[in-house]
């Protein structure tokens, strides 16, 4: 099947790395005689707007041959899919993703190469769509709904993202491949400043309350935070959400938990609670930070219903 690519380039992804690499990517596309149309995402949520406009102008037909290719990080992919799903289509437009961000967790979870040369091969030589799981959310207090490819987080990880995004040092450190040091410093700062909060988890007929929740992550695959295996057994096609709740530990237990996390042994710890379900309902009656695929949701109360659906992707991990 011959396809055309609607390429959305986020030049700012990976602290500007995507923009720097684009001439090389273009050379590869042209050498392979790939048919494409290029648009550039210039500001936050611009990718969402571009993909939404593209979806509106493309007929809802089973015979269209377009694929939206997001060139950037997990946030770029997040916006692209949310734009494509704003209006319900009988025949969704397939999406591809060239991972050139700072985290690239969806690529890890899906088996897409983190080397952009190989990932591009997996995209341009693909011959059919593959349906993978994506998460859905409906936050009733602010009446926001959408989808996510990686995870929805409340608490510790979201607060780290918020703090990191407010710092100019993050860009410099990412450019010098030292971003992990900055996130570690942010994590220590957030740990000392964040108190435990009340969380209620509804799964089926089960209702659990945690008075000292600290990190709450509903994930679609194993990874968050740039390769941390928070849910080691999750896969991108198991049609399940994986919810990890960690209650606030003291500092020494936090270090011990972090070590167990490195070796993927954390789920057996007493401070860690793990759920697998196709639907989850979370309520937090206090103002806490939230994040979607590494994008800030801001500080807010939460009453959020999370589910799972499937979406067509255009890349072949066997190549």
């Amino acid at each position: 099947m011959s396809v055309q690519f609607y390429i959305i380039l986020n030049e700012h992804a990976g602290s500007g790395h995507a923009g720097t690499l684009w001439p090389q990517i273009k050379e590869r596309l042209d050498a392979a005689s790939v048919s494409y149309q290029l648009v550039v995402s210039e500001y936050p949520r611009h990718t969402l707007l571009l993909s939404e406009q593209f979806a509106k102008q493309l007929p809802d037909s089973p015979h269209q041959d377009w694929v939206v290719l997001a060139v950037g990080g997990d946030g770029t992919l997040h916006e692209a899919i949310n734009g494509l799903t704003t209006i319900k289509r009988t025949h969704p437009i397939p999406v591809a993703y060239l991972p050139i961000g700072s985290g690239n967790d969806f690529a890890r979870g899906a088996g897409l190469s983190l080397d952009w040369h190989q990932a591009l091969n997996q995209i341009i030589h693909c011959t059919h769509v593959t349906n993978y799981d994506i998460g859905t959310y409906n936050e009733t207090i602010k009446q926001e709904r959408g989808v996510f490819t990686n995870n929805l987080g409340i608490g510790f990880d979201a607060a780290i993202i918020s703090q990191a995004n407010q710092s100019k040092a993050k860009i410099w450190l990412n450019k010098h491949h030292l971003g992990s040091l900055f996130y570690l410093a942010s994590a220590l700062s957030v740990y000392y400043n964040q108190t435990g909060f009340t969380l209620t988890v509804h799964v089926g007929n089960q209702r659990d309350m945690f008075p000292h929740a600290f990190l709450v992550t509903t994930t679609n695959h194993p990874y968050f935070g740039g390769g941390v295996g928070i849910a080691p057994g999750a896969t991108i096609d198991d049609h399940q959400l994986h919810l990890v709740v960690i209650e606030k530990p003291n500092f020494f237990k936090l270090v011990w938990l972090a070590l167990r996390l490195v070796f993927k042994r954390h789920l057996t710890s007493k401070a860690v609670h793990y759920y697998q379900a196709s639907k989850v309902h979370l309520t937090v009656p206090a103002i806490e930070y939230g994040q979607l695929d590494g994008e800030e949701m801001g500080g807010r109360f939460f009453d959020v219903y999370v589910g799972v659906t499937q979406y067509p992707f255009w890349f072949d991990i066997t190549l």
Side-chain angles (χ1 to χ4, degrees), residues 2-317:
S2 177
V3 301
Q4 304 176 75
F5 292 96
Y6 181 77
I7 298 176
I8 303 177
L9 168 64
N10 178 5
E11 295 179 313
H12 305 290
S15 299
H17 192 47
T20 303
L21 284 178
W22 171 248
Q24 296 178 55
I25 298 167
K26 181 181 187 304
E27 190 177 329
R28 285 285 307 280
L29 290 168
D30 294 343
S33 301
V34 173
S35 177
Y36 64 90
Q37 178 183 341
L38 173 70
V39 292
V40 178
S41 177
E42 297 176 347
Y43 50 84
R45 297 182 66 80
H46 193 194
T47 296
L48 191 150
L49 181 62
L50 290 167
S51 59
E52 181 181 352
Q53 289 173 339
F54 182 70
K56 284 179 179 177
Q57 71 185 37
L58 204 64
D60 190 359
S61 160
H63 304 298
Q64 59 86 14
D65 59 355
W66 282 94
V67 172
V68 170
L69 170 55
V71 178
D74 287 325
T76 312
L77 176 64
H78 173 87
E79 289 194 16
I81 293 188
N82 273 277
L84 293 173
T85 54
T86 300
I87 297 171
K88 190 169 179 64
R89 292 174 63 98
T90 305
H91 305 284
I93 301 166
V95 68
Y97 161 59
L98 196 60
I100 313 177
S102 52
N104 304 322
D105 280 325
F106 182 78
R108 286 185 180 86
L112 183 64
S113 177
L114 295 179
D115 173 71
W116 75 262
H117 298 273
Q118 179 59 24
L120 192 58
N121 280 336
Q122 292 175 310
I123 294 166
I124 64 178
H125 296 302
C126 182
T127 57
H128 60 278
V129 299
T130 303
N131 289 319
Y132 288 116
D133 295 340
I134 59 172
T136 65
Y137 70 94
N138 178 12
E139 205 290 299
T140 66
I141 296 173
K142 289 205 171 185
Q143 297 186 325
E144 293 178 2
R145 60 176 61 206
V147 297
F148 59 92
T149 55
N150 298 338
N151 35 65
L152 182 155
I154 303 170
F156 183 60
D157 61 323
I160 292 172
I161 288 168
S162 178
Q163 181 163 310
N165 287 347
Q166 290 170 19
S167 173
K168 294 177 181 176
K170 175 191 172 188
I171 296 174
W172 186 89
L173 287 165
N174 276 340
K175 282 184 177 178
H176 292 81
H177 307 290
L178 297 170
S180 56
L181 289 178
F182 183 77
Y183 280 103
L184 178 60
S186 296
L188 290 172
S189 171
V190 169
Y191 171 80
Y192 281 114
N193 290 311
Q194 182 170 319
T195 57
F197 54 89
T198 301
L199 166 75
T200 305
V201 175
H202 301 262
V203 176
N205 295 322
Q206 184 178 348
R207 178 177 176 270
D208 297 331
M209 182 174 284
F210 301 97
H212 305 292
F214 182 64
L215 181 149
V216 182
T217 297
T218 308
T219 188
N220 181 39
H221 56 67
Y223 304 107
F224 85 147
V228 178
I230 190 72
T235 66
I236 208 141
D237 53 5
D238 61 7
H239 309 329
Q240 296 282 300
L241 295 167
H242 299 258
L243 171 64
V244 178
V245 177
I246 300 179
E247 296 181 271
K248 184 164 188 181
N250 64 42
F251 183 75
F252 296 104
K253 283 185 179 177
L254 178 70
V255 173
W256 175 240
L257 199 55
L259 287 171
R260 292 181 69 84
L261 184 59
V262 169
F263 293 102
K264 301 179 181 178
R265 300 286 300 277
H266 57 289
L267 294 182
T268 58
S269 301
K270 288 183 179 178
V272 180
H273 308 274
Y274 179 56
Y275 301 81
Q276 291 184 63
S278 58
K279 294 179 182 177
V280 175
H281 177 201
L282 306 172
T283 56
V284 176
I287 295 176
E288 295 295 333
Y289 286 107
Q291 63 89 11
L292 284 159
D293 293 340
E295 302 296 294
E296 293 183 62
M297 297 177 76
R300 59 167 76 182
F301 299 97
F302 283 90
D303 180 52
V304 59
Y305 293 82
V306 193
V308 66
T309 187
Q310 285 75 47
Y311 197 83
F313 286 82
W314 189 268
F315 52 80
D316 187 344
I317 61 172

